[in-house]
Amino acid sequence: MGRNIGYGGTAPRVPGSVVIDLGRRMNRILNIDAENASCLVEPGVSYFALYEEIQRQKLPLWIDTPDVGGGSVLGNAIDRGVGYTPYGDHFANHCGLEIVLPNGELLRTGMGSLPGKDGVDNPTWQSFQPAYGPYSDGIFSQSNFGIVVRMGMWLMPETGHQSYLITFPRDEDFPAIIEAIRPLAQQRVLGNIPQLRHVIQELATTAQPKSAFHSSPGPIPRETIRQHASCLPVGDVSWVFYGTQYGDAASISSQLSLIEGAFAAIPGAKLRLPSDLPPEHYLHSRVSVCSGVPVLRELDWLNWVPNAAHLFFSPIVPTRGRDAQAVHDIVVRLHAKYGFDLLPTLCVAGREMHYIVNIVYDRASVDEKRRAAALMREMIAETAAEGYGEYRTHILFADMVARTYSWGDNALMRFNETIKDALDPNGILAPGRNGIWPKRFRGKGWEILGTEVEDALDGKGIGPSLS
Ligand code: EUG
């Protein structure tokens, strides 16, 4: 559907490409199996559409939605996106693919490759992921090896849920908060992927523009954030943890006391429930997202600057205070250098966290676009030098990020290129996606590794024949 806004949308890398819009007419929900708690969808099925169909059939099932519900269930899963119920690892909860290969052949993965009786779909296609032999699904995620036209997805049986937030008073609490989360997540006391946000986002999620808080140019000073946060429901705090617990009332209550006990190690930590907060507070939209109800509230922070566009920087960081602090320090320093507000959202699991930075910039300003691109490049390079890499990136930074995964004389990229050349010898599918270039493009100057993004702001595009 091209709704991976922040990562490039529908844009192809090579000018003159034909864009195949799978979102418009391939939008059928092919099956919802209430007993197996699964569905089979085409690429054009949005989170909203799937949610509405389940409600229409009155089934006791949840979908899992990312922060913004307008995107494709299939597209987000094969891009390895994230949601916030216990089924939030979308690729891990998909089950079976149908793929159009570059030579026009149709492939079914998993149990779907065993024909069902009398020509029907195999009855276990949406029940068991790998089937027999090499597990091929992974190479069709974040790749340009085929067009996925059907995907099975597991649905979660509905259950009780309780969202909450915990505030922490001091910026310096950051590594201690991460240390407190790790055991809770590893022991699965935390049943989903909670988010840790900086208090600046309490301002941004009011949907008011930055100019309502700060009128001079440049990043909003910490002291100004402090003054305005004091007037908001959470008060003058620093970090805000957004969590949700699942199950029956008794287990939720015992989980919450374990969580409160763990965070009590950080002086001043304070837990609040949705009932403690006014109806317009952002926590109420987390209640929806974390119980599988798609919303668009997250887009509110795009009011932050005029003509807002955004770009995500998304490194994977171990869930450890010192690693979290190392990445945070780089990100803070480079945001100051390039004059952007830092809007971090950490999606924290037991062993790693997705440290998501949302760079919000004015797309009418060539200067801001230049600075945003330079900030991205420097964050990618500096964090990679310390051993941290991105889980996903904007199409313009795909080559750079792909090159950071260079172990063994670029063994992984050489492997990907071998697969690309075998499956797509003519190089017709999405050249350059995720940094994988077909043979006929390779080594001809298509890769964006330096200042090409800034240099292309004259609007002429990026490519060897265009410069
Ligand atoms: C977010 C989370 C992501 C991502 C982009 C944005 C959240 C924004 C966990 O992955 O890739 C609030």
Side-chain angles (χ1 to χ4, degrees):
M1 295 178 78
R3 304 274 171 81
N4 53 334
I5 45 175
Y7 291 123
T10 53
R13 250 310 304 278
V14 174
S17 295
V18 173
V19 175
I20 304 175
D21 185 351
L22 301 164
R24 219 173 147 78
R25 284 165 41 186
M26 290 191 82
N27 59 2
R28 288 176 302 168
I29 298 170
L30 297 163
N31 187 30
I32 297 178
D33 182 335
E35 289 156 347
N36 192 54
S38 65
C39 62
L40 182 67
V41 295
E42 291 185 334
V45 177
S46 70
Y47 293 98
F48 280 110
L50 183 58
Y51 174 79
E52 281 161 16
E53 178 59 19
I54 289 170
Q55 301 316 301
R56 198 188 62 77
Q57 294 189 26
K58 298 188 170 31
L59 298 174
L61 295 171
W62 282 0
I63 66 163
D64 185 283
T65 171
D67 296 87
V68 178
S72 160
V73 174
L74 183 157
N76 186 279
I78 63 165
D79 223 22
R80 299 201 297 266
V82 173
Y84 302 97
T85 74
Y87 283 33
D89 181 343
H90 292 164
F91 194 70
N93 285 287
H94 95 283
C95 193
L97 298 177
E98 185 175 287
I99 302 148
V100 179
L101 296 174
N103 66 2
E105 276 189 40
L106 205 54
L107 170 72
R108 284 190 177 185
T109 67
M111 297 302 288
S113 61
L114 194 158
K117 195 178 169 195
D118 300 327
V120 302
D121 292 351
N122 189 284
T124 47
W125 194 17
Q126 269 67 69
S127 307
F128 184 62
Q129 292 164 315
Y132 181 74
Y135 181 52
S136 16
D137 293 38
I139 66 164
F140 296 102
S141 71
Q142 289 194 9
S143 87
N144 51 9
F145 301 156
I147 301 176
V148 181
V149 290
R150 291 185 181 192
M151 181 189 74
M153 192 81 185
W154 290 336
L155 301 166
M156 179 170 152
E158 67 180 18
T159 185
H161 58 101
Q162 176 67 60
S163 293
Y164 56 93
L165 62 77
I166 301 177
T167 56
F168 303 94
R170 301 173 314 133
D171 285 349
E172 309 74 63
D173 292 332
F174 180 63
I177 299 166
I178 302 299
E179 288 293 307
I181 295 172
R182 185 182 57 248
L184 290 173
Q186 284 184 357
Q187 294 157 13
R188 303 200 175 163
V189 175
L190 300 174
N192 72 340
I193 300 294
Q195 287 188 343
L196 181 66
R197 298 175 169 224
H198 191 259
V199 70
I200 186 175
Q201 300 204 40
E202 292 295 314
L203 274 51
T205 53
T206 63
Q208 288 177 274
K210 175 182 179 174
S211 57
F213 307 104
H214 180 64
S215 48
S216 33
I220 181 168
R222 183 66 182 92
E223 193 45 42
T224 309
I225 298 172
R226 197 178 293 290
Q227 282 160 16
H228 290 285
S230 312
C231 311
L232 293 174
V234 295
D236 173 17
V237 297
S238 189
W239 295 96
V240 187
F241 176 89
Y242 284 94
T244 304
Q245 300 309 123
Y246 298 90
D248 59 37
S251 29
I252 287 175
S253 140
S254 73
Q255 292 159 22
L256 282 178
S257 47
L258 286 170
I259 291 161
E260 277 196 284
F263 285 121
I266 301 156
K270 188 167 172 197
L271 182 139
R272 283 191 184 77
L273 299 177
S275 52
D276 304 328
L277 292 158
E280 67 278 7
H281 192 271
Y282 175 73
L283 179 59
H284 297 286
S285 83
R286 290 323 285 177
V287 175
S288 300
V289 170
C290 296
S291 60
V293 180
V295 297
L296 297 173
R297 171 78 188 258
E298 200 66 40
L299 296 174
D300 279 359
W301 59 356
L302 295 182
N303 292 344
W304 194 241
V305 300
N307 310 304
H310 70 291
L311 196 52
F312 291 125
F313 173 64
S314 320
I316 296 295
V317 183
T319 308
R320 233 184 338 244
R322 64 175 184 275
D323 292 289
Q325 191 68 53
V327 170
H328 187 61
D329 287 346
I330 292 171
V331 165
V332 167
R333 176 166 43 77
L334 293 177
H335 272 63
K337 173 173 172 185
Y338 288 102
F340 284 102
D341 296 311
L342 172 57
L343 299 163
T345 300
L346 288 81
C347 303
V348 188
R351 295 182 177 85
E352 63 75 35
M353 47 192 207
H354 292 38
Y355 184 127
I356 308 292
V357 176
N358 193 357
I359 306 172
V360 182
Y361 62 93
D362 179 348
R363 69 184 182 281
S365 158
V366 168
D367 171 57
E368 284 203 25
K369 289 208 273 192
R370 267 184 214 289
R371 284 189 281 120
L375 172 59
M376 274 297 280
R377 266 209 323 279
E378 248 182 87
M379 289 196 294
I380 293 165
E382 276 210 34
T383 50
E386 299 299 314
Y388 308 105
E390 281 67 62
Y391 95 100
R392 190 177 179 190
T393 200
H394 190 281
I395 189 164
L396 290 174
F397 300 94
D399 295 313
M400 264 198 93
V401 167
R403 293 268 172 124
T404 64
Y405 289 86
S406 61
W407 186 88
D409 189 20
N410 298 301
L412 182 61
M413 183 50 77
R414 288 185 287 112
F415 179 76
N416 287 335
E417 289 172 348
T418 303
I419 299 175
K420 180 66 176 169
D421 293 342
L423 293 180
D424 185 9
N426 298 320
I428 61 170
L429 275 191
R433 191 173 200 281
N434 288 88
I436 303 165
W437 290 97
K439 196 186 294 174
R440 70 185 169 103
F441 288 85
R442 219 171 284 152
K444 297 198 172 142
W446 283 95
E447 292 88 346
I448 299 175
L449 299 167
T451 58
E452 291 91 337
V453 175
E454 292 98 304
D455 298 344
L457 288 175
D458 57 9
K460 292 202 193 109
I462 302 175
S465 56
L466 301 160
S467 50

